[in-house]
């Protein structure tokens, strides 16, 4: 059995015995009447209640779903720490094809999921992720007050993709500054794998900054939506073709995780990797492979933190300008990580982990 990155799955080993484990709590949820099967993973509450989105995905197995929840929740601990939020890391996955649950059937499943989250008494705060949307969080909130990412009509901030894309753009600017001495992306070629909720908004930022953009997506309608609006955007058939694109300066994985692996890294043409997807590194050691090839990697959980900054702010009364200003600081945070990596002689991913782990360790001290 393998997870979404193709690696062997042993969820119990990950949870109890690996360096990627150490989770405080993992909850398996089921409601047969609605068809709900879900996994809620709380990695850490050292900095505050765990905060992270809900992924609705058709996993090949329950084991794969657990493995994904473990990986994603751990990443949220690091993301929230680096974003300076008073939250630990958590994540939930609902097992199933999101597109197959519509209307009343979807509502009943989401209400059951809301009850499951509410049973944790605030240890985990949920929000949107792949396969879930603002309207879904409005439903979940009917059963669970620890829900964010809701619509403005229901007291929320709306779509968090806006600030996620903005934060990734700031990470790209910082990467360009470090790699080429100039934060401008004018004249640079950026390849985006995945132009869904975040990727398509990233396209707009890049074009406005003068970059040339190449895209791919497994969904033809997502590609068409972008090219209809921006006919100057180039399209390639798939991610394999994208990573081989001649003259590409920046590669932006913006779909599911595991894009940087033993097959893609050796042939990647880009000098910089900076994208919105979570868990881009397929396994420990890939960050060194990138560094050995001279490819600068902007840690995913640092640059894609704009969305979690937004949903966290919603819990205290949302202010877009305040969130936008905080997301803009991803530029400075990314540069600081590159500087720490150079100082310590380690890849940027390892430098970011060290900083985040120090923050969590300090918070645990009496």
């Amino acid at each position: 059995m393998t997870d979404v990155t193709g690696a062997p799955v042993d969820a119990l080993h990950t949870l109890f015995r690996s360096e990627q484990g150490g989770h405080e709590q993992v909850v398996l949820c089921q409601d047969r009447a609605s068809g709900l099967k879900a996994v809620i993973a709380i990695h850490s509450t050292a900095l505050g209640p765990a905060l992270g989105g809900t992924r609705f995905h058709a996993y090949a197995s329950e084991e794969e779903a657990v493995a994904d929840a473990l990986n994603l929740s751990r990443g949220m601990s690091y993301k929230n720490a680096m974003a300076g939020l008073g939250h630990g890391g958590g994540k939930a996955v609902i097992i199933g094809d999101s597109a197959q649950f519509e209307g009343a059937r979807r509502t009943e499943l989401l209400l059951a999921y809301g009850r499951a989250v509410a049973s944790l008494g605030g240890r985990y705060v949920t929000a949107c992720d792949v396969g879930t949307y603002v309207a879904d969080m409005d439903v979940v909130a009917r059963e669970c007050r620890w829900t964010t990412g809701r619509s403005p009509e229901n007291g929320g901030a709306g779509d968090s993709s806006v600030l996620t894309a903005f934060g990734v753009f700031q990470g790209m600017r910082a990467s360009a500054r470090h790699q080429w001495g100039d934060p401008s992306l004018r004249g640079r070629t950026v390849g985006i794998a995945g132009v869904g909720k975040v990727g398509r908004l990233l396209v707009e930022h890049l074009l406005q900054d003068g970059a040339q953009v190449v895209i791919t997506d497994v969904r033809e309608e997502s590609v068409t939506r972008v090219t209809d609006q921006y006919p100057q955007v180039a399209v390639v058939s798939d991610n394999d073709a994208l990573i081989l694109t001649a003259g590409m300066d920046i590669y932006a994985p913006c779909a599911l995780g595991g894009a940087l692996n033993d097959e893609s890294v050796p042939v990647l043409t880009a000098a910089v990797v900076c994208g919105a997807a979570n868990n881009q590194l397929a396994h420990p050691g890939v960050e060194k492979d990138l560094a050995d090839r001279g490819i600068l990697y902007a840690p995913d959980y640092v640059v894609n933190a704009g969305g979690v900054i937004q949903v966290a702010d919603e819990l205290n009364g949302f202010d877009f300008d305040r969130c936008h200003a905080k997301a803009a600081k991803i530029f400075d945070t990314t540069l600081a990580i590159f500087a720490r990596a150079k100082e310590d002689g380690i890849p940027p991913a390892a430098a970011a982990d060290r900083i985040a782990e120090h923050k969590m360790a300090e918070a645990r001290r009496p």
Side-chain angles (χ1 to χ4, degrees), residues 88-325:
K91 203 79 170 186
V93 300
I94 297 174
I95 304 169
D97 185 347
S98 176
Q100 298 299 313
F101 285 82
E102 298 179 340
R105 186 184 183 202
R106 189 179 188 90
T107 296
E108 289 306 311
L109 180 141
L110 292 170
L111 290 173
Y113 171 67
R115 291 190 292 272
V117 176
S119 72
L120 296 173
R123 282 176 52 77
Y124 168 61
V125 181
T126 195
C128 299
D129 195 71
V130 175
T132 59
Y133 305 90
V134 170
D136 294 330
M137 293 305 108
D138 285 344
V139 175
V140 173
R142 287 159 55 183
E143 292 283 357
C144 177
R145 65 188 181 92
W146 296 286
T147 305
T148 185
R150 295 163 295 147
S151 68
E153 296 79 8
N154 287 280
D159 186 7
S160 63
S161 301
V162 174
L163 287 184
T164 303
F166 175 69
V168 173
F169 176 62
Q170 295 306 316
M172 282 190 184
R173 293 181 62 248
S175 299
R177 171 72 173 271
H178 182 85
Q179 190 80 346
W180 300 298
D182 185 349
S184 173
L185 298 173
R186 180 167 298 279
R188 300 291 177 191
T189 298
V190 182
I192 303 177
V195 284
K197 290 192 287 187
V198 175
R200 67 179 178 83
L201 297 174
L202 182 58
V203 169
E204 181 177 357
H205 287 296
L206 293 169
L207 293 176
Q208 289 177 349
D209 204 38
Q212 297 175 334
V213 179
V214 184
I215 66 171
T216 191
D217 197 295
V218 296
R219 296 178 178 84
E220 185 177 345
E221 61 270 24
S222 296
V223 172
T224 302
R225 183 177 182 180
V226 172
T227 55
D228 283 350
Q229 186 174 4
Y230 306 109
Q232 68 269 45
V233 171
V235 179
V236 295
S237 58
D238 54 32
N239 187 58
D240 290 340
L242 184 64
I243 64 174
L244 295 172
T245 299
M248 182 168 61
D249 296 296
I250 302 174
Y251 170 57
C254 293
L256 296 178
L260 302 171
N261 53 50
D262 295 337
E263 289 72 42
S264 63
V265 170
V267 297
L268 182 61
T269 59
V272 170
V273 175
C274 179
N278 289 308
N279 296 330
Q280 294 170 25
L281 305 176
H283 60 78
V286 176
E287 71 278 11
K288 184 178 184 303
D289 295 337
L290 288 165
D292 288 346
R293 287 205 58 215
I295 298 172
L296 180 67
Y297 172 64
D300 49 27
Y301 64 77
V302 174
V303 302
N304 68 13
V308 77
I309 288 171
Q310 176 173 319
V311 297
D313 192 77
E314 180 183 316
L315 296 171
N316 300 301
F318 178 65
D319 184 290
F320 182 82
D321 291 338
R322 180 173 61 208
C323 289
H324 191 273

Side-chain angles (χ1 to χ4, degrees), residues 50-65:
L51 171 63
T54 300
R55 179 165 294 188
F56 200 155
H57 182 66
Y59 292 93
S61 69
E62 288 84 359
E63 291 86 354
E64 182 182 293

Side-chain angles (χ1 to χ4, degrees), residues 3-62:
D3 66 15
V4 292
T5 71
V9 167
D10 185 343
L12 289 178
H13 174 83
T14 299
L15 178 61
F16 292 127
R17 296 186 292 278
S18 78
E19 291 183 1
Q20 287 73 45
H23 295 68
E24 294 180 10
Q25 186 176 9
V26 179
V27 181
L28 305 182
C29 313
Q30 180 172 234
D31 180 73
R32 290 187 175 180
S34 65
L36 174 71
K37 286 186 179 180
V39 183
I40 303 173
I42 298 174
H43 177 261
S44 172
T45 56
L47 294 170
L51 171 63
T54 300
R55 179 165 294 188
F56 200 155
H57 182 66
Y59 292 93
S61 69
E62 288 84 359

